[in-house]
Amino acid sequence: MILSGRFGKPGTVLRAEAGARFKMSCLHVFDMDGTLLKGSACLEISRTVGVLGETLAIEDIWSRGEISDNEFWVRCLPLWKDLTDEQIDQAFTTSPWLKGVQSVFDDINSREEKSVVISQSPLFFVERLLAWGADFAYGALVTPGNSAGAEQLLTSRDKLNITDKLLSDLGLSYDNCIAYGDSMSDLELFKSLPKTVAVNAREPIRELARVCYEGTSMWNGYSAGRKLLETRADG
């Protein structure tokens, strides 16, 4: 099921029926680029279609603050105008994921907990994590070859709004939620949630996080998060 603009800007894909309530004890909120995935989906897609150099140049001026997030997409999306589903699958499969991502989702599911991946990358890439066991997937509603409007993109505030709405739907509070992230797109989440794990993160995310993990295993980062939940349960 695809719901566009459910929270104003972002799109989402759910494995569960909209509006359903779940018997569970925790919501795990994951960033994707830089957290579950080394690098970014945009670079991996561009590598697959042979325009990596062009995308790196766009990313360079964007990282220096010379163009906006919207302008980044305006310049990047035309490079993917002939992108196929097969190429998206290839980019997803060959991306440098941290070790144990699927095992993390499997463990969450086995505990009757829920997981959501919220990313600024294209929804058509993020949604493939549903096949790995994620319960919800959110991303930018952009289309290869077309320009993007601000309403199609996803901000740090959107990430918090999405999390708030999911927690409300699931009957949970912030104490029943833990976020894993690495960059400024996770800033509002890390300011608001009491349980956060910085994964290979930069400042100020590291400074805000309850726990910091550096390494190549998402399972180890997730295990650090589980200790925060166990402390809550024991206390």
Side-chain angles (χ1 to χ4, degrees), residues 156-181:
S156 178
R157 173 56 61 175
D158 289 326
K159 283 193 171 188
L160 180 59
N161 290 343
I162 291 166
T163 299
D164 284 343
K165 183 63 167 61
L166 282 175
L167 288 172
S168 177
D169 287 349
L170 298 168
L172 299 173
S173 68
Y174 279 179
D175 196 47
N176 303 105
C177 183
I178 184 165
Y180 309 78

Side-chain angles (χ1 to χ4, degrees), residues 58 67-79 142 145-150 152-153:
I58 297 169
I67 59 174
S68 66
D69 290 353
N70 188 65
E71 181 63 22
F72 173 89
W73 289 109
V74 167
R75 299 188 185 197
C76 188
L77 289 172
L79 299 176
V142 296
N146 296 325
S147 294
Q152 297 170 280
L153 307 183

Side-chain angles (χ1 to χ4, degrees), residues 16 37 46-47 50 65 74 81 86 127 132-135 154 176 179 201 213 215 228 231 234:
L37 171 65
S46 295
R47 190 190 313 277
V74 167
K81 61 184 177 63
E86 290 74 19
E127 67 186 7
W132 283 11
D135 292 292
L154 207 156
N176 303 105
Y213 169 74
L228 293 179
T231 300
D234 294 340

